[in-house]
PDB file of all heavy atoms in Angstrom:
ATOM      1  N   VAL A   1      59.884 103.413  57.723  1.00 55.00           N
ATOM      2  CA  VAL A   1      60.874 102.438  57.252  1.00 55.00           C
ATOM      3  C   VAL A   1      62.217 103.134  57.044  1.00 55.00           C
ATOM      4  O   VAL A   1      63.256 102.619  57.437  1.00 55.00           O
ATOM      5  CB  VAL A   1      60.389 101.745  55.954  1.00 55.00           C
ATOM      6  CG1 VAL A   1      61.492 100.904  55.341  1.00 55.00           C
ATOM      7  CG2 VAL A   1      59.152 100.917  56.221  1.00 55.00           C
ATOM      8  N   GLN A   2      62.200 104.319  56.452  1.00 66.00           N
ATOM      9  CA  GLN A   2      63.439 105.077  56.250  1.00 66.00           C
ATOM     10  C   GLN A   2      64.055 105.455  57.587  1.00 66.00           C
ATOM     11  O   GLN A   2      65.270 105.380  57.761  1.00 66.00           O
ATOM     12  CB  GLN A   2      63.167 106.334  55.427  1.00 66.00           C
ATOM     13  CG  GLN A   2      62.924 106.068  53.977  1.00 66.00           C
ATOM     14  CD  GLN A   2      62.645 107.354  53.205  1.00 66.00           C
ATOM     15  OE1 GLN A   2      62.441 108.414  53.804  1.00 66.00           O
ATOM     16  NE2 GLN A   2      62.619 107.252  51.890  1.00 66.00           N
ATOM     17  N   ALA A   3      63.254 105.883  58.551  1.00 65.00           N
ATOM     18  CA  ALA A   3      63.761 106.267  59.862  1.00 65.00           C
ATOM     19  C   ALA A   3      64.376 105.069  60.573  1.00 65.00           C
ATOM     20  O   ALA A   3      65.434 105.179  61.191  1.00 65.00           O
ATOM     21  CB  ALA A   3      62.641 106.875  60.710  1.00 65.00           C
ATOM     22  N   ARG A   4      63.723 103.889  60.481  1.00 75.00           N
ATOM     23  CA  ARG A   4      64.288 102.682  61.094  1.00 75.00           C
ATOM     24  C   ARG A   4      65.609 102.307  60.421  1.00 75.00           C
ATOM     25  O   ARG A   4      66.537 101.870  61.087  1.00 75.00           O
ATOM     26  CB  ARG A   4      63.302 101.523  60.963  1.00 75.00           C
ATOM     27  CG  ARG A   4      62.262 101.538  62.010  1.00 75.00           C
ATOM     28  CD  ARG A   4      61.509 100.226  62.030  1.00 75.00           C
ATOM     29  NE  ARG A   4      60.169 100.468  62.517  1.00 75.00           N
ATOM     30  CZ  ARG A   4      59.106  99.842  62.129  1.00 75.00           C
ATOM     31  NH1 ARG A   4      59.201  98.896  61.212  1.00 75.00           N
ATOM     32  NH2 ARG A   4      57.944 100.114  62.639  1.00 75.00           N
ATOM     33  N   GLY A   5      65.673 102.447  59.114  1.00 78.00           N
ATOM     34  CA  GLY A   5      66.912 102.139  58.380  1.00 78.00           C
ATOM     35  C   GLY A   5      68.056 103.040  58.819  1.00 78.00           C
ATOM     36  O   GLY A   5      69.175 102.588  59.021  1.00 78.00           O
ATOM     37  N   ARG A   6      67.773 104.315  58.988  1.00 82.00           N
ATOM     38  CA  ARG A   6      68.793 105.254  59.455  1.00 82.00           C
ATOM     39  C   ARG A   6      69.229 104.924  60.877  1.00 82.00           C
ATOM     40  O   ARG A   6      70.409 104.978  61.198  1.00 82.00           O
ATOM     41  CB  ARG A   6      68.268 106.688  59.396  1.00 82.00           C
ATOM     42  CG  ARG A   6      68.363 107.293  58.042  1.00 82.00           C
ATOM     43  CD  ARG A   6      68.068 108.784  58.085  1.00 82.00           C
ATOM     44  NE  ARG A   6      67.204 109.053  56.956  1.00 82.00           N
ATOM     45  CZ  ARG A   6      66.043 109.684  57.002  1.00 82.00           C
ATOM     46  NH1 ARG A   6      65.597 110.177  58.132  1.00 82.00           N
ATOM     47  NH2 ARG A   6      65.325 109.856  55.923  1.00 82.00           N
ATOM     48  N   ALA A   7      68.279 104.610  61.745  1.00 83.00           N
ATOM     49  CA  ALA A   7      68.603 104.275  63.136  1.00 83.00           C
ATOM     50  C   ALA A   7      69.459 103.005  63.185  1.00 83.00           C
ATOM     51  O   ALA A   7      70.425 102.928  63.947  1.00 83.00           O
ATOM     52  CB  ALA A   7      67.327 104.079  63.948  1.00 83.00           C
ATOM     53  N   THR A   8      69.130 102.027  62.372  1.00 88.00           N
ATOM     54  CA  THR A   8      69.914 100.788  62.333  1.00 88.00           C
ATOM     55  C   THR A   8      71.330 101.069  61.853  1.00 88.00           C
ATOM     56  O   THR A   8      72.299 100.584  62.449  1.00 88.00           O
ATOM     57  CB  THR A   8      69.235  99.755  61.406  1.00 88.00           C
ATOM     58  OG1 THR A   8      67.922  99.490  61.893  1.00 88.00           O
ATOM     59  CG2 THR A   8      70.035  98.464  61.346  1.00 88.00           C
ATOM     60  N   ARG A   9      71.464 101.839  60.795  1.00 89.00           N
ATOM     61  CA  ARG A   9      72.796 102.200  60.287  1.00 89.00           C
ATOM     62  C   ARG A   9      73.580 102.975  61.332  1.00 89.00           C
ATOM     63  O   ARG A   9      74.786 102.789  61.483  1.00 89.00           O
ATOM     64  CB  ARG A   9      72.678 102.990  58.987  1.00 89.00           C
ATOM     65  CG  ARG A   9      72.309 102.135  57.797  1.00 89.00           C
ATOM     66  CD  ARG A   9      72.508 102.870  56.489  1.00 89.00           C
ATOM     67  NE  ARG A   9      71.702 104.064  56.374  1.00 89.00           N
ATOM     68  CZ  ARG A   9      70.466 104.107  55.868  1.00 89.00           C
ATOM     69  NH1 ARG A   9      69.904 103.007  55.423  1.00 89.00           N
ATOM     70  NH2 ARG A   9      69.796 105.231  55.799  1.00 89.00           N
ATOM     71  N   ARG A  10      72.908 103.849  62.069  1.00 90.00           N
ATOM     72  CA  ARG A  10      73.572 104.628  63.107  1.00 90.00           C
ATOM     73  C   ARG A  10      74.113 103.690  64.198  1.00 90.00           C
ATOM     74  O   ARG A  10      75.250 103.828  64.633  1.00 90.00           O
ATOM     75  CB  ARG A  10      72.609 105.655  63.705  1.00 90.00           C
ATOM     76  CG  ARG A  10      73.265 106.571  64.712  1.00 90.00           C
ATOM     77  CD  ARG A  10      72.330 107.681  65.186  1.00 90.00           C
ATOM     78  NE  ARG A  10      71.933 108.516  64.067  1.00 90.00           N
ATOM     79  CZ  ARG A  10      70.669 108.865  63.787  1.00 90.00           C
ATOM     80  NH1 ARG A  10      69.675 108.461  64.543  1.00 90.00           N
ATOM     81  NH2 ARG A  10      70.392 109.627  62.757  1.00 90.00           N
ATOM     82  N   TRP A  11      73.326 102.707  64.644  1.00 92.00           N
ATOM     83  CA  TRP A  11      73.771 101.770  65.679  1.00 92.00           C
ATOM     84  C   TRP A  11      74.905 100.880  65.176  1.00 92.00           C
ATOM     85  O   TRP A  11      75.828 100.549  65.921  1.00 92.00           O
ATOM     86  CB  TRP A  11      72.610 100.917  66.194  1.00 92.00           C
ATOM     87  CG  TRP A  11      71.784 101.672  67.189  1.00 92.00           C
ATOM     88  CD1 TRP A  11      70.516 102.118  67.033  1.00 92.00           C
ATOM     89  CD2 TRP A  11      72.203 102.094  68.486  1.00 92.00           C
ATOM     90  NE1 TRP A  11      70.099 102.808  68.151  1.00 92.00           N
ATOM     91  CE2 TRP A  11      71.128 102.807  69.064  1.00 92.00           C
ATOM     92  CE3 TRP A  11      73.373 101.958  69.214  1.00 92.00           C
ATOM     93  CZ2 TRP A  11      71.190 103.356  70.334  1.00 92.00           C
ATOM     94  CZ3 TRP A  11      73.439 102.506  70.482  1.00 92.00           C
ATOM     95  CH2 TRP A  11      72.355 103.198  71.028  1.00 92.00           C
ATOM     96  N   ILE A  12      74.834 100.500  63.925  1.00 94.00           N
ATOM     97  CA  ILE A  12      75.931  99.711  63.346  1.00 94.00           C
ATOM     98  C   ILE A  12      77.205 100.543  63.323  1.00 94.00           C
ATOM     99  O   ILE A  12      78.281 100.067  63.688  1.00 94.00           O
ATOM    100  CB  ILE A  12      75.554  99.204  61.933  1.00 94.00           C
ATOM    101  CG1 ILE A  12      74.480  98.124  62.043  1.00 94.00           C
ATOM    102  CG2 ILE A  12      76.778  98.667  61.200  1.00 94.00           C
ATOM    103  CD1 ILE A  12      73.891  97.690  60.713  1.00 94.00           C
ATOM    104  N   ALA A  13      77.105 101.785  62.921  1.00 94.00           N
ATOM    105  CA  ALA A  13      78.277 102.667  62.889  1.00 94.00           C
ATOM    106  C   ALA A  13      78.847 102.868  64.287  1.00 94.00           C
ATOM    107  O   ALA A  13      80.067 102.803  64.494  1.00 94.00           O
ATOM    108  CB  ALA A  13      77.914 104.017  62.264  1.00 94.00           C
ATOM    109  N   ILE A  14      77.978 103.086  65.271  1.00 95.00           N
ATOM    110  CA  ILE A  14      78.445 103.261  66.658  1.00 95.00           C
ATOM    111  C   ILE A  14      79.140 101.991  67.137  1.00 95.00           C
ATOM    112  O   ILE A  14      80.190 102.046  67.779  1.00 95.00           O
ATOM    113  CB  ILE A  14      77.266 103.654  67.579  1.00 95.00           C
ATOM    114  CG1 ILE A  14      76.810 105.086  67.269  1.00 95.00           C
ATOM    115  CG2 ILE A  14      77.641 103.520  69.054  1.00 95.00           C
ATOM    116  CD1 ILE A  14      75.506 105.488  67.937  1.00 95.00           C
ATOM    117  N   GLY A  15      78.566 100.830  66.824  1.00 96.00           N
ATOM    118  CA  GLY A  15      79.179  99.562  67.211  1.00 96.00           C
ATOM    119  C   GLY A  15      80.552  99.365  66.577  1.00 96.00           C
ATOM    120  O   GLY A  15      81.502  98.931  67.245  1.00 96.00           O
ATOM    121  N   LEU A  16      80.681  99.695  65.298  1.00 96.00           N
ATOM    122  CA  LEU A  16      81.970  99.555  64.621  1.00 96.00           C
ATOM    123  C   LEU A  16      83.009 100.534  65.177  1.00 96.00           C
ATOM    124  O   LEU A  16      84.177 100.176  65.336  1.00 96.00           O
ATOM    125  CB  LEU A  16      81.804  99.746  63.114  1.00 96.00           C
ATOM    126  CG  LEU A  16      81.077  98.608  62.385  1.00 96.00           C
ATOM    127  CD1 LEU A  16      80.826  98.982  60.933  1.00 96.00           C
ATOM    128  CD2 LEU A  16      81.861  97.314  62.489  1.00 96.00           C
ATOM    129  N   ILE A  17      82.581 101.732  65.478  1.00 97.00           N
ATOM    130  CA  ILE A  17      83.499 102.705  66.079  1.00 97.00           C
ATOM    131  C   ILE A  17      83.956 102.220  67.453  1.00 97.00           C
ATOM    132  O   ILE A  17      85.139 102.283  67.791  1.00 97.00           O
ATOM    133  CB  ILE A  17      82.843 104.106  66.155  1.00 97.00           C
ATOM    134  CG1 ILE A  17      82.708 104.692  64.745  1.00 97.00           C
ATOM    135  CG2 ILE A  17      83.637 105.035  67.063  1.00 97.00           C
ATOM    136  CD1 ILE A  17      81.845 105.938  64.662  1.00 97.00           C
ATOM    137  N   ALA A  18      83.019 101.707  68.261  1.00 97.00           N
ATOM    138  CA  ALA A  18      83.379 101.194  69.588  1.00 97.00           C
ATOM    139  C   ALA A  18      84.355 100.027  69.471  1.00 97.00           C
ATOM    140  O   ALA A  18      85.327  99.934  70.228  1.00 97.00           O
ATOM    141  CB  ALA A  18      82.119 100.762  70.348  1.00 97.00           C
ATOM    142  N   LEU A  19      84.131  99.137  68.519  1.00 97.00           N
ATOM    143  CA  LEU A  19      85.034  98.012  68.302  1.00 97.00           C
ATOM    144  C   LEU A  19      86.424  98.512  67.881  1.00 97.00           C
ATOM    145  O   LEU A  19      87.440  98.020  68.374  1.00 97.00           O
ATOM    146  CB  LEU A  19      84.456  97.080  67.230  1.00 97.00           C
ATOM    147  CG  LEU A  19      85.139  95.746  67.035  1.00 97.00           C
ATOM    148  CD1 LEU A  19      85.045  94.908  68.301  1.00 97.00           C
ATOM    149  CD2 LEU A  19      84.502  95.011  65.863  1.00 97.00           C
ATOM    150  N   GLY A  20      86.462  99.493  67.013  1.00 97.00           N
ATOM    151  CA  GLY A  20      87.736 100.081  66.599  1.00 97.00           C
ATOM    152  C   GLY A  20      88.480 100.722  67.756  1.00 97.00           C
ATOM    153  O   GLY A  20      89.694 100.559  67.904  1.00 97.00           O
ATOM    154  N   VAL A  21      87.764 101.433  68.618  1.00 97.00           N
ATOM    155  CA  VAL A  21      88.386 102.065  69.789  1.00 97.00           C
ATOM    156  C   VAL A  21      88.930 100.990  70.728  1.00 97.00           C
ATOM    157  O   VAL A  21      90.045 101.126  71.261  1.00 97.00           O
ATOM    158  CB  VAL A  21      87.381 102.991  70.516  1.00 97.00           C
ATOM    159  CG1 VAL A  21      87.892 103.415  71.882  1.00 97.00           C
ATOM    160  CG2 VAL A  21      87.072 104.206  69.653  1.00 97.00           C
ATOM    161  N   PHE A  22      88.173  99.903  70.919  1.00 97.00           N
ATOM    162  CA  PHE A  22      88.639  98.803  71.771  1.00 97.00           C
ATOM    163  C   PHE A  22      89.962  98.245  71.247  1.00 97.00           C
ATOM    164  O   PHE A  22      90.917  98.077  72.005  1.00 97.00           O
ATOM    165  CB  PHE A  22      87.587  97.693  71.838  1.00 97.00           C
ATOM    166  CG  PHE A  22      88.103  96.448  72.488  1.00 97.00           C
ATOM    167  CD1 PHE A  22      88.208  96.358  73.868  1.00 97.00           C
ATOM    168  CD2 PHE A  22      88.497  95.366  71.720  1.00 97.00           C
ATOM    169  CE1 PHE A  22      88.706  95.210  74.474  1.00 97.00           C
ATOM    170  CE2 PHE A  22      88.990  94.208  72.305  1.00 97.00           C
ATOM    171  CZ  PHE A  22      89.095  94.134  73.685  1.00 97.00           C
ATOM    172  N   PHE A  23      90.039  97.939  69.956  1.00 97.00           N
ATOM    173  CA  PHE A  23      91.268  97.388  69.393  1.00 97.00           C
ATOM    174  C   PHE A  23      92.415  98.394  69.422  1.00 97.00           C
ATOM    175  O   PHE A  23      93.571  98.013  69.610  1.00 97.00           O
ATOM    176  CB  PHE A  23      91.036  96.856  67.981  1.00 97.00           C
ATOM    177  CG  PHE A  23      90.368  95.518  67.968  1.00 97.00           C
ATOM    178  CD1 PHE A  23      89.096  95.374  67.460  1.00 97.00           C
ATOM    179  CD2 PHE A  23      91.001  94.405  68.500  1.00 97.00           C
ATOM    180  CE1 PHE A  23      88.469  94.145  67.460  1.00 97.00           C
ATOM    181  CE2 PHE A  23      90.388  93.165  68.506  1.00 97.00           C
ATOM    182  CZ  PHE A  23      89.110  93.028  67.986  1.00 97.00           C
ATOM    183  N   LEU A  24      92.124  99.663  69.265  1.00 97.00           N
ATOM    184  CA  LEU A  24      93.158 100.690  69.372  1.00 97.00           C
ATOM    185  C   LEU A  24      93.740 100.720  70.785  1.00 97.00           C
ATOM    186  O   LEU A  24      94.962 100.712  70.964  1.00 97.00           O
ATOM    187  CB  LEU A  24      92.589 102.063  69.010  1.00 97.00           C
ATOM    188  CG  LEU A  24      93.531 103.251  69.193  1.00 97.00           C
ATOM    189  CD1 LEU A  24      94.724 103.138  68.245  1.00 97.00           C
ATOM    190  CD2 LEU A  24      92.799 104.552  68.985  1.00 97.00           C
ATOM    191  N   VAL A  25      92.883 100.729  71.786  1.00 97.00           N
ATOM    192  CA  VAL A  25      93.343 100.747  73.188  1.00 97.00           C
ATOM    193  C   VAL A  25      94.124  99.479  73.488  1.00 97.00           C
ATOM    194  O   VAL A  25      95.204  99.529  74.106  1.00 97.00           O
ATOM    195  CB  VAL A  25      92.148 100.923  74.162  1.00 97.00           C
ATOM    196  CG1 VAL A  25      92.564 100.683  75.609  1.00 97.00           C
ATOM    197  CG2 VAL A  25      91.544 102.307  73.998  1.00 97.00           C
ATOM    198  N   PHE A  26      93.638  98.322  73.055  1.00 97.00           N
ATOM    199  CA  PHE A  26      94.319  97.049  73.272  1.00 97.00           C
ATOM    200  C   PHE A  26      95.712  97.076  72.632  1.00 97.00           C
ATOM    201  O   PHE A  26      96.699  96.672  73.241  1.00 97.00           O
ATOM    202  CB  PHE A  26      93.475  95.908  72.687  1.00 97.00           C
ATOM    203  CG  PHE A  26      94.033  94.543  72.951  1.00 97.00           C
ATOM    204  CD1 PHE A  26      94.031  94.009  74.223  1.00 97.00           C
ATOM    205  CD2 PHE A  26      94.554  93.793  71.912  1.00 97.00           C
ATOM    206  CE1 PHE A  26      94.544  92.747  74.470  1.00 97.00           C
ATOM    207  CE2 PHE A  26      95.073  92.531  72.141  1.00 97.00           C
ATOM    208  CZ  PHE A  26      95.068  92.006  73.419  1.00 97.00           C
ATOM    209  N   GLY A  27      95.805  97.578  71.418  1.00 97.00           N
ATOM    210  CA  GLY A  27      97.095  97.687  70.736  1.00 97.00           C
ATOM    211  C   GLY A  27      98.047  98.635  71.457  1.00 97.00           C
ATOM    212  O   GLY A  27      99.244  98.353  71.568  1.00 97.00           O
ATOM    213  N   LEU A  28      97.548  99.730  71.955  1.00 96.00           N
ATOM    214  CA  LEU A  28      98.388 100.682  72.681  1.00 96.00           C
ATOM    215  C   LEU A  28      98.896 100.089  73.995  1.00 96.00           C
ATOM    216  O   LEU A  28     100.049 100.312  74.376  1.00 96.00           O
ATOM    217  CB  LEU A  28      97.627 101.981  72.939  1.00 96.00           C
ATOM    218  CG  LEU A  28      97.362 102.844  71.700  1.00 96.00           C
ATOM    219  CD1 LEU A  28      96.440 104.020  72.050  1.00 96.00           C
ATOM    220  CD2 LEU A  28      98.650 103.334  71.090  1.00 96.00           C
ATOM    221  N   VAL A  29      98.058  99.311  74.677  1.00 96.00           N
ATOM    222  CA  VAL A  29      98.490  98.660  75.922  1.00 96.00           C
ATOM    223  C   VAL A  29      99.604  97.660  75.610  1.00 96.00           C
ATOM    224  O   VAL A  29     100.631  97.614  76.309  1.00 96.00           O
ATOM    225  CB  VAL A  29      97.300  97.975  76.626  1.00 96.00           C
ATOM    226  CG1 VAL A  29      97.766  97.044  77.731  1.00 96.00           C
ATOM    227  CG2 VAL A  29      96.346  99.024  77.179  1.00 96.00           C
ATOM    228  N   LEU A  30      99.438  96.847  74.573  1.00 94.00           N
ATOM    229  CA  LEU A  30     100.481  95.883  74.198  1.00 94.00           C
ATOM    230  C   LEU A  30     101.767  96.591  73.778  1.00 94.00           C
ATOM    231  O   LEU A  30     102.863  96.160  74.153  1.00 94.00           O
ATOM    232  CB  LEU A  30      99.990  94.979  73.065  1.00 94.00           C
ATOM    233  CG  LEU A  30      98.948  93.932  73.440  1.00 94.00           C
ATOM    234  CD1 LEU A  30      98.532  93.149  72.198  1.00 94.00           C
ATOM    235  CD2 LEU A  30      99.454  93.006  74.505  1.00 94.00           C
ATOM    236  N   ALA A  31     101.647  97.660  73.029  1.00 95.00           N
ATOM    237  CA  ALA A  31     102.835  98.409  72.617  1.00 95.00           C
ATOM    238  C   ALA A  31     103.540  99.007  73.828  1.00 95.00           C
ATOM    239  O   ALA A  31     104.774  98.999  73.914  1.00 95.00           O
ATOM    240  CB  ALA A  31     102.447  99.511  71.625  1.00 95.00           C
TER     241      ALA A  31
END
């Protein structure tokens, strides 16, 4: 259960980082 919780948190973190990178690139293109 602890290992699954860590894996889930890791995927959520990766997803949030990817979303942040997408918005950063989009903002730089518009700028």
Side-chain angles (χ1 to χ4, degrees):
V1 171
Q2 286 180 349
R4 278 193 208 146
R6 278 190 224 128
T8 301
R9 285 193 299 270
R10 185 174 299 131
W11 280 111
I12 289 172
I14 289 170
L16 289 173
I17 290 169
L19 190 63
V21 168
F22 170 78
F23 282 114
L24 175 64
V25 169
F26 185 70
L28 290 173
V29 167
L30 287 178

